[in-house]
Amino acid sequence: IDHLMSRKTDQLSGGERQRVALARLLSTAPEWLLLDEPFSNLDRLHKMMLKQALVEITSQWNISCVLVSHEPADTLSWADELL
């Protein structure tokens, strides 16, 4: 997301804002992520990229995720448990 660094917050799309917020959160080295509809403002390509990045990051850093979504396809592809 380097290309977004020169922009102000009000110049970002909804998906760009989500990615920036996630990057800021990950910079704090959390043990848990609570993600509420994290893919809702993303197009198909960025949704797939973000899903893959989350899988890699949470696995490498041993971060647990709680993901809330109304879209089963967003959770079924990488969930360990479903509630």
Side-chain angles (χ1 to χ4, degrees):
I1 61 173
D2 292 338
H3 66 286
L4 303 177
M5 294 194 50
S6 62
R7 292 198 212 161
K8 295 184 179 191
T9 307
D10 63 347
Q11 297 173 326
L12 301 175
S13 70
E16 290 169 337
R17 287 182 187 165
Q18 282 181 297
R19 287 180 278 162
V20 168
L22 184 58
R24 289 180 67 195
L25 176 63
L26 289 171
S27 72
T28 66
E31 293 181 29
W32 284 86
L33 289 179
L34 176 57
L35 305 172
D36 183 12
E37 300 283 351
F39 313 116
S40 62
N41 291 318
L42 301 177
D43 59 37
R44 181 177 154 86
L45 174 64
H46 286 102
K47 183 186 284 195
M48 290 179 1
M49 290 171 52
L50 182 57
K51 282 183 183 182
Q52 184 60 38
L54 283 171
V55 168
E56 291 174 11
I57 290 167
T58 56
S59 175
Q60 288 176 0
W61 294 358
N62 199 27
I63 299 172
S64 297
C65 281
V66 175
L67 185 138
V68 178
S69 178
H70 292 94
E71 182 60 48
D74 288 346
T75 56
L76 293 174
S77 61
W78 59 281
D80 291 331
E81 294 183 36
L82 295 175
L83 301 173

